[in-house]
Amino acid sequence: MKVIPIHQEEKKIIDLAIANNRQAQKKIYDQFSPKMLGVCRNYISDVHHAEDILLTGFMKVFANLKKFEHKGSFEGWIRRIMIYECIDFIRAKKNHIVHQNNDNIIVSEKESSYEMEDFSIDDIQYLIDNLPDGYKMVFNLYAIEGFKHHEIATMLKISEGTSKSQLSQARKLLQHQIFELKKRLNGTK
């Protein structure tokens, strides 16, 4: 019985792309750009900026393909580059990405009882887009990307406690925004 590596085709395309084969590079871009634009949109509200970051990210992907060691998923490797590009963009835009917000938002149990199924994807994206940059960054890295607080702290150059605090505040703010959106959708506001 002959064993054929599952990712042999992927490795071949990567090797061709490393050799500056434009068709292989286009194939990689075409395969991963839709998902990676979604990743960028999770962090960057403006679709035009997200598209710019996507292109910059893919330039880095192709410039660093030699560094991909075929350990783990190629898509995950690309995703990580895109996330770092988003972080760099926000840092450059804000001069810092995470700040402590002193607003105390109190959310009652009634406000947090709504199910996310009550809202469209666009509604949810709108709510996440309206979070302050620091909250949005930590929320996306933790809740969507699955990073641990110590990893987020290292990536964003903040303390682990700040990461946890930013996530907690993001959740409270999202619960409050969900409550307000639900009231508007029900015509009670």
Side-chain angles (χ1 to χ4, degrees), residues 96-132:
H96 66 283
I97 56 167
V98 180
H99 61 278
Q100 201 63 30
N101 187 343
N102 292 327
D103 296 341
N104 293 323
I105 300 170
I106 299 171
V107 181
S108 70
E109 288 299 314
K110 182 180 178 186
E111 290 179 356
S112 61
S113 66
Y114 296 108
E115 297 296 324
M116 292 310 288
E117 293 87 32
D118 295 341
F119 302 102
S120 71
I121 299 287
D122 289 337
D123 291 336
I124 295 167
Q125 185 66 54
Y126 175 78
L127 295 175
I128 293 172
D129 284 346
N130 283 319
L131 289 173

Side-chain angles (χ1 to χ4, degrees), residues 9-141:
E9 179 69 22
E10 182 177 90
K11 184 176 179 348
K12 181 180 176 184
I13 291 170
I14 292 169
D15 289 342
L16 287 170
I18 289 171
N20 287 324
N21 179 300
R22 298 295 180 218
Q23 290 176 331
Q25 290 173 343
K26 183 178 182 334
K27 188 169 185 171
I28 290 170
Y29 180 83
D30 290 346
Q31 180 179 350
F32 295 106
S33 62
K35 276 187 186 177
M36 295 307 126
L37 180 58
V39 169
C40 293
R41 280 287 292 121
N42 285 336
Y43 297 92
I44 309 299
S45 303
D46 185 294
V47 70
H48 300 294
H49 288 302
E51 289 170 345
D52 289 343
I53 291 164
L54 175 78
L55 294 175
T56 303
F58 269 103
M59 287 189 323
K60 284 194 177 178
V61 165
F62 294 127
N64 292 292
L65 268 178
K66 293 176 190 167
K67 295 179 183 176
F68 180 64
E69 299 175 352
H70 300 280
K71 296 177 183 172
S73 136
F74 184 53
E75 180 180 329
W77 183 78
I78 295 173
R79 175 183 289 269
R80 193 171 206 92
I81 290 172
M82 295 300 163
I83 290 169
Y84 276 104
E85 279 303 303
C86 292
I87 291 169
D88 289 346
F89 173 81
I90 292 172
R91 277 191 182 133
K93 181 179 155 197
K94 289 281 189 173
N95 224 6
H96 66 283
I97 56 167
V98 180
H99 61 278
Q100 201 63 30
N101 187 343
N102 292 327
D103 296 341
N104 293 323
I105 300 170
I106 299 171
V107 181
S108 70
E109 288 299 314
K110 182 180 178 186
E111 290 179 356
S112 61
S113 66
Y114 296 108
E115 297 296 324
M116 292 310 288
E117 293 87 32
D118 295 341
F119 302 102
S120 71
I121 299 287
D122 289 337
D123 291 336
I124 295 167
Q125 185 66 54
Y126 175 78
L127 295 175
I128 293 172
D129 284 346
N130 283 319
L131 289 173
D133 286 341
Y135 292 178
K136 179 168 54 173
M137 185 68 64
V138 172
F139 179 82
N140 281 328
L141 288 170

